[in-house]
């Protein structure tokens, strides 16, 4: 937990819920221990989809398809969603490994939601940026790894050290690449909101 648990509980208590299908899908995912986006992330996405109104959405990693269905429900009625998983007619399923599938996509997408294998984010990034529209937004979920990302690699369990290293590399690239603007927000398990920068950074004296 990266922020106070009582605060998260309170914020989530304000949530007004979803359609019966989404509520059932969320319950099923929890019962079968399949990770889906957290309630506070769901609330954020509702507002973001209304603000940005993306027409072409790419999702990298979907599990049971909750996020894709969620975006279809709360996004624009005519939005097209491409996901490396499946649900409904407005969502295009492309089965296969994300690293390979991304290479086949043309884009541009005005919204990309990254919620796949955390250790692969850094490898997916070049292709994700290639298909991201010049005014598009990339939102990456779970970037703070329940707070582990701020720890020394030696304080992280040995089996998680590779993911820890790669996530830190990913966040460094997002925040230090001159072609990108990124804000890392401690929402849920941490999200990174990234856009392409149209201005070259200049050093100040």
């Amino acid at each position: 937990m990266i922020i106070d648990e009582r605060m998260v509980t309170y914020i989530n208590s304000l949530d007004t819920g979803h359609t019966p299908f989404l509520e059932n899908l969320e319950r099923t995912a929890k019962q079968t221990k399949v990770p889906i986006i957290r309630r506070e992330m769901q609330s954020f996405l509702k507002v973001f989809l209304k603000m940005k109104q993306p027409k072409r959405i790419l999702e990298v990693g979907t599990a049971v398809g909750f996020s894709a269905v969620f975006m279809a429900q709360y996004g624009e009625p005519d939005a097209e969603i491409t996901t490396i998983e499946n649900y409904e007619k407005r969502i295009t399923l492309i089965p296969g490994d994300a690293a390979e599938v991304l290479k086949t996509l043309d884009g541009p997408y005005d919204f990309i939601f990254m919620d796949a294998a955390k250790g692969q984010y850094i490898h997916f990034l070049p292709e994700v940026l290639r298909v991201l529209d010049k005014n598009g937004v990339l939102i990456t979920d779970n970037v703070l790894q329940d707070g582990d990302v701020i720890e020394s690699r030696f304080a992280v369990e040995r089996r998680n050290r590779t993911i820890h290293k790669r996530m830190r590399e990913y966040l460094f690239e997002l925040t230090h690449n001159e072609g990108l603007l990124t804000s890392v927000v401690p929402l849920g398990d941490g999200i990174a909101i990234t856009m392409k920068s149209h201005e070259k950074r200049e050093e100040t004296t």
Side-chain angles (χ1 to χ4, degrees):
M1 183 68 63
I2 58 175
I3 61 175
D4 184 77
E5 188 172 354
R6 290 177 59 221
M7 182 63 74
V8 172
T9 300
Y10 171 70
I11 292 171
N12 290 344
S13 75
L14 302 174
D15 190 273
T16 55
H18 310 305
T19 62
F21 181 86
L22 279 169
E23 293 287 350
N24 288 332
L25 184 57
E26 183 175 42
R27 276 194 294 272
T28 300
K30 288 179 178 177
Q31 288 167 1
T32 55
K33 297 187 174 154
V34 176
I36 61 171
I37 56 174
R38 303 182 188 198
R39 278 275 165 163
E40 54 270 36
M41 182 60 183
Q42 294 170 30
S43 295
F44 172 82
L45 270 183
K46 275 187 188 178
V47 176
F48 173 82
L49 290 167
K50 191 69 174 175
M51 289 173 58
K52 180 68 176 174
Q53 299 181 339
K55 299 293 188 182
R56 295 198 73 206
I57 299 172
L58 172 64
E59 180 179 42
V60 183
T62 317
V64 294
F66 180 86
S67 302
V69 178
F70 185 93
M71 290 187 285
Q73 179 70 46
Y74 293 106
E76 290 295 285
D78 58 345
E80 297 177 4
I81 301 174
T82 299
T83 183
I84 304 172
E85 217 138 67
N86 183 32
Y87 190 73
E88 265 202 36
K89 62 183 179 181
R90 282 198 293 133
I91 302 174
T92 301
L93 167 64
I94 305 180
D97 181 84
E100 298 304 317
V101 171
L102 283 167
K103 295 175 184 176
T104 70
L105 300 179
D106 293 326
Y109 293 93
D110 46 3
F111 173 41
I112 299 178
F113 183 57
M114 182 107 79
D115 188 20
K118 311 303 175 266
Q120 299 303 314
Y121 284 179
I122 188 67
H123 301 309
F124 295 159
L125 187 60
E127 291 297 325
V128 164
L129 293 178
R130 178 183 64 81
V131 297
L132 181 66
D133 185 77
K134 66 178 182 178
N135 295 312
V137 178
L138 164 64
I139 293 181
T140 311
D141 201 13
N142 303 120
V143 297
L144 298 183
Q145 301 179 306
D146 284 321
D148 279 355
V149 75
I150 65 172
E151 302 293 342
S152 158
R153 67 183 297 271
F154 299 107
V156 176
E157 290 185 31
R158 184 180 295 273
R159 61 179 179 157
N160 294 329
R161 287 180 184 172
T162 297
I163 294 175
H164 174 268
K165 177 177 178 290
R166 289 179 180 175
M167 184 61 77
R168 289 176 67 108
E169 290 174 354
Y170 179 72
L171 289 174
F172 187 88
E173 178 63 19
L174 289 184
T175 54
H176 287 74
N177 186 318
E178 288 192 349
L180 303 175
L181 290 171
T182 296
S183 176
V184 179
V185 182
L187 172 73
D189 191 24
I191 65 172
I193 305 170
T194 302
M195 294 187 70
K196 291 182 176 178
S197 172
H198 305 301
E199 297 180 3
K200 187 174 178 62
R201 298 177 191 171
E202 296 182 359
E203 292 186 7
T204 57
T205 57

